[in-house]
Amino acid sequence: MVLMVEAPLEFIRPREPKPPWLKVRAPGSANYLRLKDLMRERRLHTVCEEAHCPNIGECWHRGTATFMILGDVCTRACAYCAVAHGRPDAVDLAEPGRVAEAIEAMGLRHAVITSVDRDDLPDGGASIFADTIRQTRARIPGCRIEVLIPDFQGVERSLLTVLDAGPDVLNHNVETVPRLYRMARSGGRYPRSLELLDRSRQHRPEIPTKTGLMVGLGEEIEELVSVFDNLREVGVSILTIGQYLRPSPAHAPMVRYYHPDEFADLKRLALARGFAHVESGPLVRSSYHAHEQADAFDAARR
Ligand code: SF4
């Protein structure tokens, strides 16, 4: 079934109980508790916890997590995001080493490293990203490293600092359609995010670029399709699409739940535009099953 712009599928109002496809594994398994201890012991943060990710029970049970470097306080206050915002602490120069140790202790073959926005730092934290990549590479040479980076306020030098450290995947989320940036992501700029993805391909074409979108914030299907086209124009090859879930009543309202069939339709629409890999589903987050996403991308490239 192809989702038609003129005749969108029926949708469910957000006040209705959570639909069954959003039911998740409750956290608490032995592996989950082991990871929780590891993060506390090494004084590390994860976006899994800070962003209240619904997949934490499953991911941590499977031994995967997304490290959030540069502290746990963001200098921006995006309306959809549960991460705390305000004035961050000073940069912890030993953090990259502790992240590398934790990745080794967890035995990861694919590590995802992201950060809060650090607009207070001259390089936006790019040198800490680079150091984390290098230390992880040195400690676990076989581990694939994916970085999910902020826009660095459009500073090209910061992007190049990260790229020159040699990540395996460069991820930067556009998050939503341009019309909703002012409401949802007031500190970001849609053209700036596209420019970052474009520059990455120009500078290091061998590093695949990846991005993610949330749906349910009030976007129209044709706006999403237009974003798909823009992303392909700048060479993005991996796309994730997931349901926006409002972290609290203080956050941007959710306009609607998408049905799993609609996610399947969005995936078809995106694949038809030439993405090498598209992960689309209610619980998909940019780091959800990131290892499998990268494997599928490698297979599609062969
Ligand atoms: S989807 Fe990503 S952020 Fe969410 S729990 Fe899994 S690894 Fe963490």
Side-chain angles (χ1 to χ4, degrees), residues 224-237:
L224 288 170
V225 170
S226 167
V227 171
F228 297 166
D229 287 334
N230 294 159
L231 293 170
R232 288 300 299 137
E233 281 158 19
V234 296
V236 173
S237 48

Side-chain angles (χ1 to χ4, degrees), residues 82-219:
V83 174
H85 58 92
R87 187 196 289 253
D89 288 337
V91 170
D92 175 357
L93 296 175
E95 187 179 46
R98 295 201 307 278
V99 171
E101 283 169 17
I103 290 171
E104 185 176 41
M106 289 165 69
L108 295 186
R109 288 188 301 120
H110 183 111
V112 184
I113 299 159
T114 189
S115 76
V116 287
D117 274 293
R118 290 298 303 255
D119 294 339
D120 56 318
L121 302 173
D123 73 348
S127 57
I128 298 293
F129 264 104
D131 197 20
T132 308
I133 295 168
R134 291 201 181 93
Q135 293 210 39
T136 303
R137 187 77 75 212
R139 197 174 259 276
I140 322 119
C143 181
R144 190 162 44 194
I145 302 171
E146 173 174 334
V147 285
L148 169 57
I149 59 170
D151 65 17
F152 296 129
Q153 299 183 85
V155 176
E156 186 171 20
R157 185 63 253 159
S158 294
L159 171 65
L160 301 191
T161 297
V162 176
L163 288 170
D164 289 345
D168 295 285
V169 180
L170 190 291
N171 188 348
H172 171 70
N173 285 338
V174 292
E175 306 286 12
T176 187
V177 300
R179 178 175 57 83
L180 298 180
Y181 260 59
R182 190 182 289 266
M183 176 278 291
R185 202 182 197 196
S186 57
R189 301 284 178 272
Y190 180 72
R192 187 200 282 168
S193 285
L194 282 183
E195 182 180 57
L196 178 149
L197 291 162
D198 192 22
R199 282 174 169 166
S200 178
R201 294 294 294 161
Q202 303 293 337
H203 186 69
R204 294 293 291 267
E206 75 282 12
I207 299 176
T209 49
K210 169 174 169 180
T211 196
L213 280 162
M214 297 172 290
V215 293
L217 278 162
E219 66 290 326

